[in-house]
Amino acid sequence: MDHFALDAIERIAAAPRAPYETIEVARLTPVIGAEISGLDLAQPLLGQQLAEVRRAFLENHVLVFRDQVLDVDQHKAFARLFGPLRALPLEDIDGDDPELVVIKANRHSKFVAGETWHTDGTADVAPSLGSMLYLKQTPEIGCGGDTLFANMHLAYEMLSPPMRGFLEELSAIHDGAIPWQGYEAPPGLPKTEHPLVIRHPQTGRKALFVNSGFTAFIPQLSRSESQALLDLLFDQVAREPILSCRVRWTPNCLVFWDNRCTQHHAIWDYFPYSRYGERVTILGDRPLAANEGLRLG
Ligand code: SIN
């Protein structure tokens, strides 16, 4: 790794953190992810517990809560502590609850949700704050079905200063039709321009805001320049394992991730076995440009 990367990793890994008093927080890697214990999410959280979960979320970006026994209302009630939930048109979901996305795979599956690096819903005008996936069933064989999560603050901070400055002048078009390539897409999918480098609305930290799941092109560049630059940025996530943590699911595990500063990748390595979970998504705001002078088309 070059010194830009090493400096960025060290800054994040060694940043001082205050201790927690009401929850236990065990980091998954020095730069992303933490397992939280000492909480029963089916019960209302006390004020300090909730404040510490909020802080752990902003510090770690991905939180893992194991051995939680939740019904749908309890799952949603926990998510609503962070904001209103996104409702999808009924024709786009498997089931009858517009706020609940069923994530399932079995021997009949031809594909699974989220099987490439992506961030949920970035083609929306106001992409989501975060997602909460509650996995009820892990593959019967006892292994497989992990999810990778990458830190997009670090992805930005690992770049050289001239590259960071260049990217801050740019935006990108995110297209909801990209995941449907090769399939019949539903009508009315969103297509939105967002800054390429955004500022996290709660921490003010900069993050790279592109993902191969939804980002189509950079309108300020020629098509070939745009493709080459996006390929470089997409590849960075796949090429640099230091950016990621890997969540090994257990039954009744809930994972809460921040869509403003992470990408994720569900690994479908367990065919023909089954996996089942339910996801809710918390509404967010229109992303803030890191460069406040950036004008979107
Ligand atoms: C997703 O939300 O992309 C699915 C993640 C997973 O199945 O682990």
Side-chain angles (χ1 to χ4, degrees):
M1 265 186 285
D2 59 42
H3 72 92
F4 300 116
L6 292 172
D7 291 349
I9 294 161
E10 185 169 3
R11 265 196 312 276
I12 292 180
R17 294 184 177 187
Y20 291 90
E21 290 172 7
T22 61
I23 57 175
E24 285 112 62
V25 178
R27 288 160 84 162
L28 295 182
T29 79
V31 299
I32 183 168
E35 292 225 8
I36 307 298
S37 48
L39 282 183
D40 175 358
L41 300 181
Q43 305 299 324
L45 298 192
L46 303 175
Q48 191 179 352
Q49 287 175 325
L50 180 57
E52 291 198 342
V53 171
R54 289 187 194 283
R55 175 156 69 85
F57 183 60
L58 297 179
E59 285 179 352
N60 298 286
H61 322 305
V62 177
L63 300 183
V64 180
F65 302 85
R66 294 197 188 274
D67 302 322
Q68 301 294 330
V69 181
L70 302 174
D71 62 26
V72 172
D73 290 339
Q74 289 163 329
H75 180 183
K76 288 187 182 182
F78 179 52
R80 284 201 180 99
L81 295 173
F82 299 87
L85 304 187
R86 183 177 194 254
L88 286 163
L90 278 178
E91 54 276 16
D92 291 359
I93 58 168
D94 181 1
D96 56 6
D97 182 339
E99 292 175 339
L100 202 71
V101 175
V102 170
I103 302 283
K104 73 173 181 200
N106 55 38
R107 62 166 50 257
H108 306 294
S109 302
K110 301 278 183 286
F111 61 90
V112 303
E115 209 203 327
T116 54
W117 279 109
H118 69 287
T119 305
D120 296 332
T122 61
D124 291 354
V125 172
S128 66
L129 176 156
S131 304
M132 276 188 194
L133 174 59
Y134 178 50
L135 213 70
K136 294 185 175 173
Q137 184 191 357
T138 51
E140 302 87 330
I141 192 168
C143 56
D146 298 353
T147 306
L148 302 171
F149 293 89
N151 180 337
M152 299 309 288
H153 291 305
L154 179 56
Y156 167 77
E157 291 171 20
M158 279 169 70
L159 301 170
S160 64
M163 181 58 116
R164 296 203 297 257
F166 175 56
L167 297 181
E168 285 186 24
E169 303 293 323
L170 304 176
S171 62
I173 305 296
H174 294 243
D175 187 348
I178 291 179
W180 291 91
Q181 275 162 10
Y183 301 92
E184 195 186 337
L189 291 167
K191 195 171 184 177
T192 309
E193 184 176 0
H194 294 303
L196 206 87
V197 182
I198 63 168
R199 203 174 272 288
H200 193 288
Q202 287 170 281
T203 62
R205 288 181 62 196
K206 295 177 184 179
L208 205 51
F209 197 66
V210 290
N211 68 93
S212 61
F214 291 103
T215 311
F217 63 94
I218 298 171
Q220 294 87 356
L221 302 181
S222 72
R223 284 284 165 155
S224 58
E225 290 165 346
S226 162
Q227 197 55 59
L229 184 55
L230 287 177
D231 284 346
L232 177 84
L233 300 175
F234 298 157
D235 287 352
Q236 185 196 17
V237 174
R239 202 180 53 238
E240 299 283 9
I242 185 77
L243 290 171
S244 318
C245 67
R246 181 172 184 130
V247 171
R248 180 145 298 163
W249 297 87
T250 43
N252 297 334
C253 178
L254 181 140
V255 176
F256 177 26
W257 63 87
D258 192 332
N259 282 320
R260 300 160 300 184
C261 59
T262 65
Q263 289 193 35
H264 58 283
H265 184 318
I267 301 174
W268 191 26
D269 56 356
Y270 52 90
F271 183 83
Y273 298 98
S274 313
R275 182 175 181 269
Y276 178 90
E278 293 165 352
R279 195 187 77 196
V280 296
T281 306
I282 300 153
L283 292 174
D285 300 314
R286 192 157 195 155
L288 305 167
N291 171 357
E292 279 156 21
L294 177 71
R295 294 166 67 98
L296 301 184

